[in-house]
Amino acid sequence: MVLQKLEGGLLTITMNRPERKNALNPDMVRGLVEAARRAADDPEVRAVLFKGAGGSFCVGGDVKSMAEGRAPLPFEQKLANLRRGMEVSRILHQMPKPVVAQLDGAAAGAGLSMALSCDLRIASESCKITTAFAKVGFSGDYGGTYFLTQLLGGARARELYLMSPVLTAKEAHAIGMVTKVVPDAEIDAAAHELALSLAQGPSIALGYIKRNINNAEHLALEDCFDGEAIHHTRCGDTADHKEAAKAFVEKRKPAFRGE
């Protein structure tokens, strides 16, 4: 249910339940957490492309399965299972590697939450985007309330969660939820090109940039200054920085190796 392909430093993680628009079930959730951990830990992975199969990103939890009325689990077990699954969003957000989400078809509920945990989101013109939780009697999970509040502020997050409007890709782009919108026919190529360009970039520096921005979400100014100074100084000792400086002088494009 979760496909992984590593090529040129880019790990593509694909949710693969196209017949259910990649709705999350326990097996898929376990696969996603494993794939995210692999992406974070594997030194061969320099960037991640996160997408769904069959022309849709992810519509969130499998509501159809929820409605089938299977024997209920104890509260503590349900809580533990959900918290384990939510690790995918934390790992994608915190790993020192850039993550691009490819949004096509629909991104809803926990699917949208996972997309918001990524660094960049590129959407097809016909993609529909919604928090969806209130419409099915849930309050939200997979970090969506955190990421949306950080991204757009509390007022907009309240609007999108309490009213649960369905946004077009262009509407989501206009308010800053989406990085870029492209025609449907171009989404695969555009998302792959963007993610691959990050995989071929100065990986150490990109990782520190991501850490600096994550730090800014919760640390004081002086602590952020300290982090920037430490990371900037470390970047100065990398082969990638030396290659970039040399390429600048020689008026050519640098060839980064992630070192």
Side-chain angles (χ1 to χ4, degrees), residues 8-259:
L10 175 63
L11 179 67
T12 300
I13 300 173
T14 306
M15 294 173 281
N16 191 33
R17 290 187 76 205
E19 74 285 356
R20 298 290 302 135
K21 295 186 178 180
N22 302 313
L24 299 172
N25 68 3
D27 289 337
M28 179 182 281
V29 168
R30 281 191 291 270
L32 287 174
V33 174
E34 290 171 4
R37 285 185 177 140
R38 182 262 179 105
D41 296 339
D42 187 344
E44 296 299 314
V45 176
R46 296 172 60 183
V48 176
L49 175 60
F50 187 29
K51 59 187 291 189
S56 191
F57 182 68
C58 175
V59 295
D62 195 334
V63 178
K64 182 178 179 181
S65 295
M66 297 175 197
E68 289 175 353
R70 290 174 291 184
L73 296 172
F75 174 83
E76 292 76 10
Q77 173 123 28
K78 289 191 289 187
L79 179 62
N81 289 346
L82 178 59
R83 189 62 185 83
R84 278 195 297 270
M86 288 169 63
E87 281 294 282
V88 63
S89 293
R90 183 191 64 77
I91 296 168
L92 292 174
H93 182 66
Q94 293 183 345
M95 72 168 70
K97 302 170 185 182
V99 184
V100 175
Q102 175 182 323
L103 307 185
D104 41 6
L112 176 59
S113 298
M114 291 188 296
L116 293 170
S117 78
C118 300
D119 300 297
L120 301 171
R121 286 157 292 283
I122 182 166
S124 63
E125 284 181 335
S126 67
C127 184
K128 303 300 182 184
I129 297 170
T130 179
T131 59
F133 291 108
K135 292 180 179 178
V136 291
F138 277 128
S139 56
D141 57 16
Y142 281 71
T145 53
Y146 173 85
F147 298 122
L148 203 54
T149 301
Q150 292 289 344
L151 188 65
L152 303 180
R156 184 71 79 172
R158 284 176 169 82
E159 174 188 336
L160 295 174
Y161 265 83
L162 294 173
M163 299 171 63
S164 196
V166 177
L167 304 179
T168 66
K170 289 184 178 179
E171 288 171 336
H173 180 262
I175 63 173
M177 285 180 73
V178 168
T179 309
K180 184 178 182 181
V181 179
V182 300
D184 290 3
E186 299 175 16
I187 184 63
D188 286 318
H192 185 269
E193 181 182 358
L194 174 59
L196 186 61
S197 71
L198 294 168
Q200 295 173 345
S203 300
I204 296 172
L206 296 181
Y208 283 140
I209 287 170
K210 183 169 177 176
R211 186 176 299 177
N212 287 341
I213 294 170
N214 285 349
N215 284 346
E217 294 174 347
H218 62 90
L219 293 184
L221 177 62
E222 288 296 327
D223 294 324
C224 288
F225 274 19
D226 289 342
E228 281 192 344
I230 291 168
H231 300 152
H232 187 89
T233 304
R234 287 176 175 166
C235 285
D237 293 329
T238 64
D240 279 346
H241 166 68
K242 294 177 175 63
E243 161 62 10
K246 184 178 179 183
F248 179 82
V249 172
E250 297 174 356
K251 295 182 171 55
R252 60 174 175 82
K253 184 178 179 180
F256 294 119
R257 297 186 299 173
E259 301 174 351

